[in-house]
Amino acid sequence: MLTAAAVGAELTLQDQPNLPVTPEQAAADAARCEAEGASVYHLHVRDEEGRPTMSVERFREVSDAIAASSNLIVQFTTGGALGDREEERIAPLALAPEMATLTPGSVNLGDGVFTNPPPLVRRLYERMGEAGVRPEFEVFEAGMIAAAERLAGGAGHHLHFDLVLGAPGAMPAWPDAPGFLAAHLPEGATWSATGVGRAFKPVAAAAIEAGGHVRTGLEDVLHVGPGEKATSNPQLVAIVAAMAESAGRRIVEPDEARKLLGLSSPGRR
Ligand code: ZN
C-alpha cells in the first residue's frame, strides 16, 4: 500500500508551488497519485490563499472532489497544524471519512510541540468509533505504540500504524528503526513508514524490505535529491512504487488496500 501525504500543514506555496490546494487541484492530484500506485490519500486542506485550515466545509469540498476523481481511501488529518484548537481538530470527523490519523502522544516537532494529551486522544478515538472512521496511529516515538495498544488493543478492529521517522525533534530515521518498531506492533497489525525530508528514500527502502507499506508526498518531502526539489505527489509516489517493484513487492489498488485495512466501505467503484 502506498499513501500519498499530499498537502500537510507546514509547507507554503512559496516553498512548493505545486501543492494541490484547491478542490480541482486535489482531484487531479489524487487521480494521478492513484495511477502511480497510491491507495490512500492523507488529507490536510488549505483555504483559498493556501493557508492551513480545519474548516469542515473545506474538507467536504476537497474530499468530495477526490472521491469524484479517484477510488482512493481518503484519510483526514486530526493533527491539523501545530497549535490548532482541539475542537477544530475533531470537527471534520463529522464527515465520516474512511480513515483519519490519530497521534497517541505528544512530541516536539522543530521548535513547537505537537500536543496530544491522553484525554484528547481518547476523545478523537471515541469520535472516530462513533462515525465509523478507522484510525491510523501516527507513531513519532516508540512509546506511542504502547499508548495506541492501551487505547485500542481490545477494540476488536484492525490496527494500522504509520511509523514517522526523521521529523526534527522526534525519532531519527535510524536504519534499524522500521524493523525494530514493527517487531513491537500488536499481532496482526499493518504498518507503513514515513521518512521525513532526506530520510524518505532510506526509510521507504527499509519498510519495503521489512514487509511494511510506505507513505510519501509533499507533506513529508521537499527534495527528491541534493538541490532537486520534488515536483509533485505523483512523482514521489512513482519513485516509491518503482523501489517497491524492483524489490519484488506488488503495489495494491485501493479496494485491495481496503481489504488489508479491514475497511468495510466498498469504495466508489
Ligand atoms: Zn498530515
Side-chain angles (χ1 to χ4, degrees):
M1 286 185 282
L2 299 179
T3 297
V7 185
E10 310 302 323
L11 202 57
T12 65
L13 282 170
Q14 286 68 44
D15 289 334
Q16 179 46 269
N18 295 331
L19 211 55
V21 296
T22 68
E24 296 72 27
Q25 288 167 344
D29 188 66
R32 289 179 58 215
C33 285
E34 183 179 10
E36 297 295 349
S39 45
V40 180
Y41 200 82
H42 169 66
L43 185 65
H44 294 246
V45 296
R46 305 294 186 101
D47 66 16
E48 288 297 316
E49 280 75 49
R51 292 173 303 215
T53 173
M54 290 300 284
S55 154
V56 175
E57 197 41 50
R58 192 64 166 177
F59 268 97
R60 187 198 311 275
E61 287 173 7
V62 176
S63 59
D64 283 355
I66 293 167
S69 74
S70 80
N71 188 34
L72 294 172
I73 298 164
V74 178
Q75 179 194 76
F76 286 10
T77 180
T78 64
L82 293 188
D84 278 350
R85 291 183 301 112
E86 292 192 3
E87 297 308 324
E88 294 175 310
R89 290 173 53 182
I90 292 168
L93 293 173
L95 300 176
E98 280 186 86
M99 295 185 85
T101 54
L102 180 52
T103 304
S106 301
V107 62
N108 292 342
L109 290 178
D111 286 343
V113 181
F114 184 19
T115 308
N116 297 288
L120 171 61
V121 173
R122 285 194 296 271
R123 276 184 78 194
L124 284 165
Y125 180 68
E126 283 162 16
R127 191 74 197 85
M128 288 184 201
E130 290 159 8
V133 180
R134 176 60 48 79
E136 172 178 282
F137 293 105
E138 301 299 313
V139 171
F140 288 79
E141 294 290 358
M144 290 189 192
I145 293 173
E149 243 182 318
R150 275 197 301 277
L151 187 68
H157 63 72
H158 180 78
L159 298 178
H160 181 66
F161 292 81
D162 181 48
L163 312 174
V164 185
L165 299 165
M171 280 190 301
W174 292 309
D176 56 348
F180 165 75
L181 294 165
H184 291 278
L185 295 177
E187 183 86 30
T190 49
W191 61 279
S192 61
T194 299
V196 176
R198 69 186 67 181
F200 108 90
K201 283 180 191 167
V203 168
I208 289 164
E209 174 71 29
H213 308 276
V214 180
R215 167 179 138 164
T216 191
L218 296 176
E219 173 169 352
D220 306 320
V221 181
L222 187 57
H223 293 97
V224 291
E228 189 190 345
K229 211 172 246 194
T231 56
S232 72
N233 289 301
Q235 176 200 27
L236 293 167
V237 171
I239 288 170
V240 177
M243 290 170 66
E245 281 167 346
S246 73
R249 298 284 305 276
R250 189 172 58 85
I251 307 299
V252 300
E253 294 185 352
D255 283 345
E256 195 173 351
R258 287 183 172 92
K259 290 196 186 103
L260 292 171
L261 294 164
L263 297 173
S264 55
S265 164
R268 184 170 61 91
R269 288 194 280 264

